């Protein structure tokens, strides 16, 4: 299992309240590709992304990254691996007491040697996402769409190898979708592994996604 990218092997997750949410999922999300996962609310899309990101542990089965069983690794080892993961949470989880620019730079905090290089990159991402004039503003003073684009900039900073995006267009106007898709296309073009969970028809219509899956009844079915 040496394929570059993420993979699920017999991945199962049971709710703490009982019942199997994800039931033996088999899937591969290769590098250099964007994959779209759709599914009804409550199907388990966010849970699957958190498992892929190593933020949750599976009940059984594994998550593999670049041929390594990362879900089996000890927490400190997995934390180091997670520096290669950029994520947009469905509920964003921006820090409200610091500026947008500081939010975008957060993933680089453990690596201060990178700050000079990533500062320019953070400003460029904010500019491209229409947030250039807002870098010193705190998230609480922004619209939902602006906050979500800031979360996208935070996920993209440092060009992470694995990009996991949960409903990344939910708060975006039609005019912003193209810009978001363009950034994801660049990420796949640079060899990134992009997995997007969404039930936004505007994303489902995008050419960007070479693989499409539907999550239902705990299973991930490949769409034609
Ligand atoms: N650790 C957990 N314990 C109990 N219930 C959970 C747990 N994780 C998720 N759930 C429940 O599983 C369902 C699926 O959640 P989620 O992954 O957020 O679905 P989706 O993103 O597709 O809407 C929801 O009903 C949620 O409340
Ligand atoms: Mg969700």
């Amino acid at each position: 299992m040496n394929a570059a990218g993420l993979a699920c092997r017999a991945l199962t997750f049971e709710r703490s309240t009982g019942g199997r949410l994800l039931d033996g999922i088999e899937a591969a999300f290769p590098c250099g590709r964007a994959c779209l996962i759709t599914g009804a609310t409550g199907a388990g899309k966010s849970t699957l992304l958190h498992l892929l990101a190593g933020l949750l542990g599976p009940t059984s089965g594994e998550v593999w990254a670049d041929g390594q069983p990362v879900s089996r690794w000890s927490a400190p080892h997995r934390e180091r691996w997670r520096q290669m993961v950029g994520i947009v949470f469905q509920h964003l989880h921006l820090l409200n007491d610091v500026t947008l620019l500081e939010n975008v730079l957060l993933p680089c905090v453990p690596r201060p040697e990178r700050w000079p290089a990533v500062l320019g990159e953070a400003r460029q991402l904010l500019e491209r996402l229409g947030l250039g004039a807002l870098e010193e503003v705190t998230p609480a003073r922004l619209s939902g769409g602006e906050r979500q684009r800031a979360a996208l900039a935070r996920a993209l900073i440092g060009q992470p190898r694995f990009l996991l995006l949960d409903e990344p267009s939910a708060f975006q106007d039609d005019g912003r979708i193209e810009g978001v898709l363009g950034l994801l296309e660049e990420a796949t073009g640079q060899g990134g592994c992009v997995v997007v969970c969404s039930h936004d028809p505007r994303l489902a219509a995008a050419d960007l996604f070479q693989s499409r899956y539907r999550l239902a009844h705990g299973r991930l079915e490949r769409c034609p």
Side-chain angles (χ1 to χ4, degrees):
M1 212 174 300
N2 290 317
L6 292 170
C8 304
R9 295 287 168 249
L11 190 70
T12 294
F13 184 81
E14 287 177 9
R15 294 181 176 91
S16 50
T17 47
R20 207 165 257 203
L21 182 60
L22 303 176
D23 189 10
I25 287 184
E26 298 282 341
F29 307 108
C31 280
R33 268 184 177 234
C35 302
L36 180 68
I37 299 174
T38 60
T41 302
K45 302 183 296 298
S46 296
T47 304
L48 177 58
L49 275 199
H50 292 180
L51 286 160
L52 287 172
L55 297 169
L56 270 180
T59 307
S60 62
E62 288 135 10
V63 173
W64 289 64
D66 292 341
Q68 299 291 321
V70 287
S71 62
R72 274 196 231 148
W73 288 355
S74 64
H77 202 168
R78 202 168 48 243
E79 282 305 305
R80 276 198 299 281
W81 170 77
R82 286 194 52 248
Q83 292 183 2
M84 290 197 287
V85 179
I87 185 163
V88 171
F89 294 99
Q90 184 167 4
H91 302 294
L92 307 184
H93 301 308
L94 293 172
L95 296 188
N96 277 322
D97 298 333
V98 303
T99 68
L100 273 207
L101 184 63
E102 287 163 340
N103 265 287
V104 175
L105 288 168
L106 268 181
C108 311
V109 165
R111 292 166 288 172
E113 73 284 357
R114 301 186 63 207
W115 288 354
V118 291
L119 187 59
E121 189 191 343
R123 291 205 159 108
Q124 198 179 25
L125 281 168
L126 287 172
E127 195 65 48
R128 285 188 65 181
L129 287 162
L131 301 168
L134 300 171
E135 68 170 58
E136 292 303 326
V137 174
T138 54
R141 293 178 47 205
L142 301 178
S143 72
E146 288 165 340
R147 279 201 293 273
Q148 188 170 45
R149 296 202 300 283
L152 180 60
R154 184 183 59 184
L156 289 165
I157 192 81
Q159 303 177 356
R161 184 167 175 78
F162 307 103
L163 256 182
L164 306 172
L165 311 178
D166 203 351
E167 312 279 1
S169 58
F171 307 130
Q172 301 307 320
D173 297 332
D174 290 354
R176 288 282 171 198
I177 296 292
E178 209 169 304
V180 170
L181 289 169
L183 284 164
L184 301 187
E185 194 166 0
E186 280 174 31
T188 54
Q190 288 156 0
C193 165
V194 178
V195 182
V196 178
C197 286
S198 175
H199 55 256
D200 185 341
R202 298 171 301 177
L203 289 198
D207 291 335
L208 169 72
F209 298 103
Q210 295 101 332
S211 310
R212 291 152 194 271
Y213 292 89
R214 181 168 173 75
L215 182 59
H217 312 295
R219 296 284 182 151
L220 201 56
E221 304 289 349
R222 190 89 185 241
C223 302

